[in-house]
Each structure stands twice: as C-alpha cells, then as structure tokens.
Amino acid sequence: MTVDVVVLENIVKEYSLGTHKVRALNGINLTVSLGEYLALAGPSGSGKSTLLNLMGCIDSPSEGRVLVDGELVSDKSPDQLADLRGRTIGFIFQTFNLLPVLSAAENVEYPLLNHKDVGKRERRERARYYLKVVGLEQFVDRRPAELSGGQRQRVAIARALAVHPKIVLADEPTANLDHKTGNGILTLMKALNKEYNTTFIFSTHDPKVIEMADRVVRISDGQLVE
Ligand code: ADP
Ligand code: MG
C-alpha cells in the first residue's frame, strides 16, 4: 500500500518585498509517498527552501493546498500544527542548527522535550540509540564546536530521527561539507531510509548528490520541470 505523506496542490508562494511581490513558487503540484528517497534539485533561488518550508509546515502558501500525512495544513490551529509537525517531521539544515551549549546527546533529546508521551528515560535512550546509529556513540558528550562538520550533520540526522518522523526534510544537507563527507551523509540517509522506511526529501544543486536519489524532482524559477 502506498501512503501519500506530502501532497501539494497548485501551490503559489509570494513574498512581499517592499512594494512589490516576489513569486517564489508558481503552480507546484507534487505527491510524495511514504518511504521515498527524493531529491529536490534546482539552482540557487529556484524555490527549494520555500518548498521545503511549506512541506514542513513552518510557512504557508499564498494559494493552493498542502496535505501532510493526510491532514490539510491550512485547517489547523497553531497548536495543532506544532503537534503535526512534531509528530511527523524531522528537519536537517545546511548549517546543522545545533544548539552550541548542549552536548550531542542533549541536542538529540531537545525536540523530544515537546513529546509528552516520551519520558526522560526514553528520551535518553533514544538519543544514545540514534547517535550510535549515525556512528557517534563515542561523542555523545561533545559539544558541536568539538565536532567536525560531518559529525555535526550526523548529530542533526540523529536529532531528526529521534522523534520517529515519517518525513525527514533536509535543506542542502551536504552544502557545507566536502564531497567525501557529503557522500557519507547521503549514504547514511539512504541506509536509514531503507531501514526505517522514513521518507527523505532533500534539496541540492550538486549533481553528485542528485545521482544518489531514487527519484529526482527538478525545480526552476518556482516551477517543476519535465
Ligand atoms: P533556493 O532555496 O532554491 O535557493 P528560495 O526558496 O530560498 O530558493 O528562494 C526562492 C525565491 O524567493 C528567490 O527569488 C528568493 O530571493 C525569494 N525569497 C526567498 N525568501 C524570501 C523572503 N523571505 N522574502 C523575499 N523573497 C524571498
Ligand atoms: Mg535554499
């Protein structure tokens, strides 16, 4: 059975810039199924981050409908939206976005603080488990500044997975890493995709990264091409 975890219908997104408007997305239709490993490929400024932010329910479209895990995002109150996001989505960012004063383990635990059904012991265990999964069991007590770029991104992957999301959204996750390290991150994400059937949607403009995807969606000037 296929389950559509993200459905975008006729999406338009405009940003106001002073007196004029910038149309960042112009009529996007896209369906993503559970367990896909999908690259969103396009040059800088094509609308990748805008699209990922809409899928992640951290921004709303000017026109069109966004369904996440079968739920219509625009129908939700802010609290319901935070809940849907927390239960369903993990984020990985280009700049890792770890909290500098927290250890690797504390960073992974952090999003779980909002999960009332996950107690302290379970939180600890999940942090250790996923840091082990990404090969960082030796580094649980290190702060981000004491880790390499690739290690920081692996902490971010562990943090995204610890909430048991159906979807992981990764905005240019390898852009700040050298090729070899970036490749390792993509290989790891792919293994996790297969192991847990977690949907991965990652943006990139790197041809080497695009090659590793099971499905590629190309975006140009706010429209999907082909
Ligand atoms: P990408 O991630 O592919 O580089 P973005 O989604 O960031 O592209 O941007 C798409 C377009 O929207 C660009 O023209 C960008 O300048 C514009 N844009 C993005 N965010 C904003 C914003 N907050 N205000 C105004 N324009 C924006
Ligand atoms: Mg971007």
Side-chain angles (χ1 to χ4, degrees):
M1 191 181 77
T2 45
V3 180
D4 297 336
V5 286
V6 178
V7 178
L8 304 176
E9 294 175 357
N10 306 315
I11 296 295
V12 172
K13 176 67 183 180
E14 287 183 332
Y15 294 109
S16 297
L17 213 78
T19 53
H20 77 289
K21 285 187 170 164
V22 179
R23 189 168 274 225
L25 298 175
N26 190 9
I28 301 273
N29 289 287
L30 178 65
T31 298
V32 183
S33 303
L34 183 68
E36 283 202 82
Y37 192 69
L38 183 148
L40 181 61
S44 179
S46 56
K48 302 182 298 298
S49 294
T50 302
L51 198 56
L52 288 174
N53 290 344
L54 295 180
M55 292 179 184
C57 313
I58 49 182
D59 202 356
S60 49
S62 311
E63 292 171 31
R65 304 204 314 162
V66 179
L67 288 98
V68 171
D69 200 20
E71 304 201 37
L72 188 59
V73 169
S74 59
D75 275 354
K76 307 255 161 226
S77 69
D79 277 357
Q80 290 173 324
L81 207 53
D83 185 57
L84 175 67
R85 198 165 50 220
R87 278 185 295 108
T88 317
I89 297 164
F91 286 99
I92 299 169
F93 301 92
Q94 180 177 335
T95 48
F96 322 132
N97 291 23
L98 302 176
L99 291 166
V101 298
L102 300 184
S103 69
E106 289 164 342
N107 266 285
V108 177
E109 283 186 39
Y110 191 77
L112 288 170
L113 293 171
N114 293 321
H115 288 233
K116 289 173 188 66
D117 54 328
V118 178
K120 186 173 175 183
R121 187 200 167 98
E122 165 90 12
R123 219 164 52 223
R124 293 258 153 91
E125 281 172 1
R126 282 204 206 174
R128 293 204 174 247
Y129 176 78
Y130 286 101
L131 282 168
K132 188 164 183 221
V133 164
V134 300
L136 291 179
E137 62 267 56
Q138 320 265 25
F139 300 94
V140 290
D141 294 323
R142 294 250 190 123
R143 299 225 175 135
E146 299 161 341
L147 297 168
S148 71
Q151 289 170 333
R152 286 183 214 180
Q153 197 59 306
R154 285 193 273 150
V155 175
I157 292 171
R159 178 181 58 182
L161 289 171
V163 301
H164 294 168
K166 287 190 180 167
I167 311 160
V168 171
L169 301 172
D171 197 1
E172 304 205 36
T174 61
N176 287 314
L177 303 173
D178 61 71
H179 259 305
K180 187 159 166 277
T181 309
N183 234 286
I185 292 293
L186 265 293
T187 306
L188 172 63
M189 290 194 338
K190 177 86 157 248
L192 297 168
N193 161 257
K194 297 291 167 252
E195 167 113 15
Y196 300 105
N197 203 33
T198 307
T199 315
F200 277 80
I201 305 173
F202 53 94
S203 70
T204 185
H205 52 246
D206 181 343
K208 287 234 166 63
V209 172
I210 295 167
E211 252 173 43
M212 296 188 65
D214 290 339
R215 176 180 165 203
V216 182
V217 168
R218 291 180 195 277
I219 184 168
S220 172
D221 285 333
Q223 293 184 303
L224 300 187
V225 287
E226 293 155 295

